[in-house]
PDB file of all heavy atoms in Angstrom:
ATOM      1  N   CYS I 311     -13.777  -9.754 -24.776  1.00  0.00           N
ATOM      2  CA  CYS I 311     -14.910  -8.861 -24.491  1.00  0.00           C
ATOM      3  C   CYS I 311     -14.462  -7.395 -24.475  1.00  0.00           C
ATOM      4  O   CYS I 311     -15.213  -6.504 -24.872  1.00  0.00           O
ATOM      5  CB  CYS I 311     -15.544  -9.202 -23.149  1.00  0.00           C
ATOM      6  SG  CYS I 311     -16.229 -10.852 -23.061  1.00  0.00           S
ATOM      7  N   LEU I 312     -13.253  -7.141 -23.993  1.00  0.00           N
ATOM      8  CA  LEU I 312     -12.756  -5.764 -23.904  1.00  0.00           C
ATOM      9  C   LEU I 312     -12.476  -5.176 -25.283  1.00  0.00           C
ATOM     10  O   LEU I 312     -12.565  -3.972 -25.475  1.00  0.00           O
ATOM     11  CB  LEU I 312     -11.440  -5.720 -23.122  1.00  0.00           C
ATOM     12  CG  LEU I 312     -11.485  -5.562 -21.617  1.00  0.00           C
ATOM     13  CD1 LEU I 312     -10.075  -5.622 -21.052  1.00  0.00           C
ATOM     14  CD2 LEU I 312     -12.155  -4.245 -21.211  1.00  0.00           C
ATOM     15  N   THR I 313     -12.103  -6.030 -26.227  1.00  0.00           N
ATOM     16  CA  THR I 313     -11.478  -5.534 -27.450  1.00  0.00           C
ATOM     17  C   THR I 313     -12.401  -5.521 -28.663  1.00  0.00           C
ATOM     18  O   THR I 313     -12.320  -4.631 -29.497  1.00  0.00           O
ATOM     19  CB  THR I 313     -10.252  -6.422 -27.778  1.00  0.00           C
ATOM     20  OG1 THR I 313      -9.460  -6.523 -26.605  1.00  0.00           O
ATOM     21  CG2 THR I 313      -9.421  -5.825 -28.886  1.00  0.00           C
ATOM     22  N   TYR I 314     -13.263  -6.533 -28.761  1.00  0.00           N
ATOM     23  CA  TYR I 314     -13.954  -6.723 -30.032  1.00  0.00           C
ATOM     24  C   TYR I 314     -15.456  -6.467 -29.944  1.00  0.00           C
ATOM     25  O   TYR I 314     -16.065  -6.689 -28.899  1.00  0.00           O
ATOM     26  CB  TYR I 314     -13.762  -8.176 -30.503  1.00  0.00           C
ATOM     27  CG  TYR I 314     -12.340  -8.527 -30.863  1.00  0.00           C
ATOM     28  CD1 TYR I 314     -11.687  -9.560 -30.198  1.00  0.00           C
ATOM     29  CD2 TYR I 314     -11.665  -7.848 -31.861  1.00  0.00           C
ATOM     30  CE1 TYR I 314     -10.385  -9.910 -30.523  1.00  0.00           C
ATOM     31  CE2 TYR I 314     -10.356  -8.187 -32.200  1.00  0.00           C
ATOM     32  CZ  TYR I 314      -9.725  -9.214 -31.530  1.00  0.00           C
ATOM     33  OH  TYR I 314      -8.445  -9.564 -31.856  1.00  0.00           O
ATOM     34  N   PRO I 315     -16.068  -6.088 -31.084  1.00  0.00           N
ATOM     35  CA  PRO I 315     -17.526  -6.156 -31.164  1.00  0.00           C
ATOM     36  C   PRO I 315     -17.947  -7.619 -31.128  1.00  0.00           C
ATOM     37  O   PRO I 315     -17.123  -8.498 -31.394  1.00  0.00           O
ATOM     38  CB  PRO I 315     -17.828  -5.546 -32.542  1.00  0.00           C
ATOM     39  CG  PRO I 315     -16.596  -5.791 -33.353  1.00  0.00           C
ATOM     40  CD  PRO I 315     -15.451  -5.708 -32.372  1.00  0.00           C
ATOM     41  N   ILE I 316     -19.206  -7.883 -30.802  1.00  0.00           N
ATOM     42  CA  ILE I 316     -19.698  -9.264 -30.814  1.00  0.00           C
ATOM     43  C   ILE I 316     -19.798  -9.745 -32.260  1.00  0.00           C
ATOM     44  O   ILE I 316     -20.356  -9.035 -33.101  1.00  0.00           O
ATOM     45  CB  ILE I 316     -21.071  -9.354 -30.113  1.00  0.00           C
ATOM     46  CG1 ILE I 316     -20.919  -8.968 -28.622  1.00  0.00           C
ATOM     47  CG2 ILE I 316     -21.658 -10.750 -30.240  1.00  0.00           C
ATOM     48  CD1 ILE I 316     -22.223  -8.946 -27.846  1.00  0.00           C
ATOM     49  N   PRO I 317     -19.232 -10.925 -32.590  1.00  0.00           N
ATOM     50  CA  PRO I 317     -19.298 -11.382 -33.988  1.00  0.00           C
ATOM     51  C   PRO I 317     -20.737 -11.689 -34.398  1.00  0.00           C
ATOM     52  O   PRO I 317     -21.498 -12.276 -33.628  1.00  0.00           O
ATOM     53  CB  PRO I 317     -18.431 -12.642 -33.999  1.00  0.00           C
ATOM     54  CG  PRO I 317     -18.323 -13.086 -32.576  1.00  0.00           C
ATOM     55  CD  PRO I 317     -18.487 -11.866 -31.734  1.00  0.00           C
ATOM     56  N   GLN I 318     -21.092 -11.313 -35.608  1.00  0.00           N
ATOM     57  CA  GLN I 318     -22.457 -11.521 -36.102  1.00  0.00           C
ATOM     58  C   GLN I 318     -22.707 -12.968 -36.484  1.00  0.00           C
ATOM     59  O   GLN I 318     -23.823 -13.456 -36.369  1.00  0.00           O
ATOM     60  CB  GLN I 318     -22.705 -10.626 -37.324  1.00  0.00           C
ATOM     61  CG  GLN I 318     -22.653  -9.130 -37.020  1.00  0.00           C
ATOM     62  CD  GLN I 318     -23.688  -8.707 -35.994  1.00  0.00           C
ATOM     63  OE1 GLN I 318     -24.876  -8.919 -36.186  1.00  0.00           O
ATOM     64  NE2 GLN I 318     -23.246  -8.152 -34.867  1.00  0.00           N
ATOM     65  N   THR I 319     -21.674 -13.653 -36.976  1.00  0.00           N
ATOM     66  CA  THR I 319     -21.827 -15.048 -37.399  1.00  0.00           C
ATOM     67  C   THR I 319     -20.615 -15.844 -36.916  1.00  0.00           C
ATOM     68  O   THR I 319     -19.655 -15.280 -36.383  1.00  0.00           O
ATOM     69  CB  THR I 319     -21.878 -15.194 -38.937  1.00  0.00           C
ATOM     70  OG1 THR I 319     -20.557 -14.937 -39.454  1.00  0.00           O
ATOM     71  CG2 THR I 319     -22.852 -14.218 -39.570  1.00  0.00           C
ATOM     72  N   LEU I 320     -20.654 -17.161 -37.125  1.00  0.00           N
ATOM     73  CA  LEU I 320     -19.538 -18.028 -36.742  1.00  0.00           C
ATOM     74  C   LEU I 320     -18.489 -18.145 -37.842  1.00  0.00           C
ATOM     75  O   LEU I 320     -17.457 -18.779 -37.663  1.00  0.00           O
ATOM     76  CB  LEU I 320     -20.066 -19.425 -36.398  1.00  0.00           C
ATOM     77  CG  LEU I 320     -20.872 -19.526 -35.104  1.00  0.00           C
ATOM     78  CD1 LEU I 320     -21.479 -20.923 -34.968  1.00  0.00           C
ATOM     79  CD2 LEU I 320     -20.007 -19.204 -33.900  1.00  0.00           C
ATOM     80  N   GLY I 321     -18.763 -17.518 -38.988  1.00  0.00           N
ATOM     81  CA  GLY I 321     -17.863 -17.659 -40.135  1.00  0.00           C
ATOM     82  C   GLY I 321     -16.523 -16.977 -39.909  1.00  0.00           C
ATOM     83  O   GLY I 321     -16.469 -15.811 -39.544  1.00  0.00           O
ATOM     84  N   THR I 322     -15.453 -17.717 -40.136  1.00  0.00           N
ATOM     85  CA  THR I 322     -14.118 -17.132 -39.971  1.00  0.00           C
ATOM     86  C   THR I 322     -13.219 -17.506 -41.140  1.00  0.00           C
ATOM     87  O   THR I 322     -13.383 -18.561 -41.752  1.00  0.00           O
ATOM     88  CB  THR I 322     -13.482 -17.572 -38.624  1.00  0.00           C
ATOM     89  OG1 THR I 322     -12.376 -16.712 -38.332  1.00  0.00           O
ATOM     90  CG2 THR I 322     -12.985 -19.007 -38.656  1.00  0.00           C
ATOM     91  N   ALA I 323     -12.288 -16.603 -41.466  1.00  0.00           N
ATOM     92  CA  ALA I 323     -11.269 -16.899 -42.472  1.00  0.00           C
ATOM     93  C   ALA I 323      -9.944 -17.022 -41.748  1.00  0.00           C
ATOM     94  O   ALA I 323      -9.641 -16.221 -40.872  1.00  0.00           O
ATOM     95  CB  ALA I 323     -11.205 -15.783 -43.506  1.00  0.00           C
ATOM     96  N   VAL I 324      -9.182 -18.045 -42.079  1.00  0.00           N
ATOM     97  CA  VAL I 324      -7.912 -18.292 -41.392  1.00  0.00           C
ATOM     98  C   VAL I 324      -6.746 -18.012 -42.340  1.00  0.00           C
ATOM     99  O   VAL I 324      -6.715 -18.515 -43.462  1.00  0.00           O
ATOM    100  CB  VAL I 324      -7.849 -19.748 -40.879  1.00  0.00           C
ATOM    101  CG1 VAL I 324      -6.493 -20.049 -40.264  1.00  0.00           C
ATOM    102  CG2 VAL I 324      -8.960 -20.006 -39.868  1.00  0.00           C
TER     103      VAL I 324
END
Side-chain angles (χ1 to χ4, degrees):
Chain I
C311 298
L312 271 177
T313 310
Y314 294 121
I316 296 177
Q318 296 300 303
T319 71
L320 290 173
T322 196
V324 175

